[in-house]
Amino acid sequence: MRDEVDGLVEAWRTERPDLDVEPLQVLSRVSRLARHLDRARRSVFAEHDLEPWEFDVLAELRRSGAPYELSPGRLLRATLVTSGTMTNRIDRLAEDGLVRRLPDPADRRGVLVRLTDEGRERVDAALADLLRYEESLLGVLGPTERDRLAALLRTVLAPLDEPN
């Protein structure tokens, strides 16, 4: 079995025999897979009238457990955006009826962002469709291969995810 990366690596080996292009064997495939996944995510989320960033915020709230509420600060740390960006995102989600702002009982000046029933239904449906697609992608791998691939990717990714 051959893929696009095989041709890319062969061409670089011919044109630049002085370089070790072996990292391309893995990382070009990871990059191409990420682009395919991004396109699929956008398509799945669009079917549920969601942008990827909307799904990310709603999913973070949904994963937090009942009553599905978090502070804006917690949301921005989880989604890796600035305070101003998160404020705009919460505003848009509130306008669409997917979240509500509530006073924070532990901080009179603070607010909590709570997932509405509509927000929960939308994120749950989008997640179910996304997982069906992702399962179809991984169907070519057996359980042991999936576990091994996940472990290898974790080994590469974990140091990158560590806070600076």
Side-chain angles (χ1 to χ4, degrees), residues 7 12 18 26 40 49 65 70 82 91 98 111 135:
W12 277 123
D18 58 310
V26 174
D49 198 26
L70 295 169
T82 66
D91 288 346
L98 302 176
V111 297
E135 177 62 35

Side-chain angles (χ1 to χ4, degrees), residues 104-121:
D104 185 345
D107 177 0
R108 290 188 318 172
R109 295 179 308 164
V111 297
L112 294 173
V113 180
R114 180 180 287 177
L115 192 61
T116 64
D117 289 343
E118 181 182 348
R120 185 172 48 82
E121 290 168 12

Side-chain angles (χ1 to χ4, degrees), residues 40-156:
R41 283 173 53 104
R42 289 179 185 282
S43 175
V44 167
F45 299 155
E47 291 174 18
H48 297 277
D49 198 26
L50 292 171
E51 294 291 331
W53 67 263
E54 291 173 307
F55 177 85
D56 290 344
V57 173
L58 298 176
E60 187 64 26
L61 289 165
R62 181 65 168 102
R63 286 190 304 265
S64 72
Y68 311 113
E69 64 185 26
L70 295 169
S71 71
R74 174 90 184 270
L75 284 170
L76 71 90
R77 284 189 298 279
T79 58
L80 303 175
V81 298
T82 66
S83 176
T85 297
M86 183 52 65
T87 298
N88 289 334
R89 289 181 174 185
I90 293 168
D91 288 346
R92 288 183 55 190
L93 290 168
E95 288 171 15
D96 291 343
L98 302 176
V99 302
R100 289 186 314 168
R101 280 189 174 89
L102 302 169
D104 185 345
D107 177 0
R108 290 188 318 172
R109 295 179 308 164
V111 297
L112 294 173
V113 180
R114 180 180 287 177
L115 192 61
T116 64
D117 289 343
E118 181 182 348
R120 185 172 48 82
E121 290 168 12
R122 189 111 49 106
V123 74
D124 283 355
L127 177 64
D129 286 350
L130 177 64
L131 291 174
R132 276 191 286 279
Y133 171 76
E134 290 181 352
E135 177 62 35
S136 73
L137 283 180
L138 295 175
V140 299
L141 301 176
T144 302
E145 292 171 310
R146 287 182 190 198
D147 289 346
R148 183 72 181 133
L149 179 58
L152 291 168
L153 290 170
R154 184 181 303 110
T155 299
V156 173

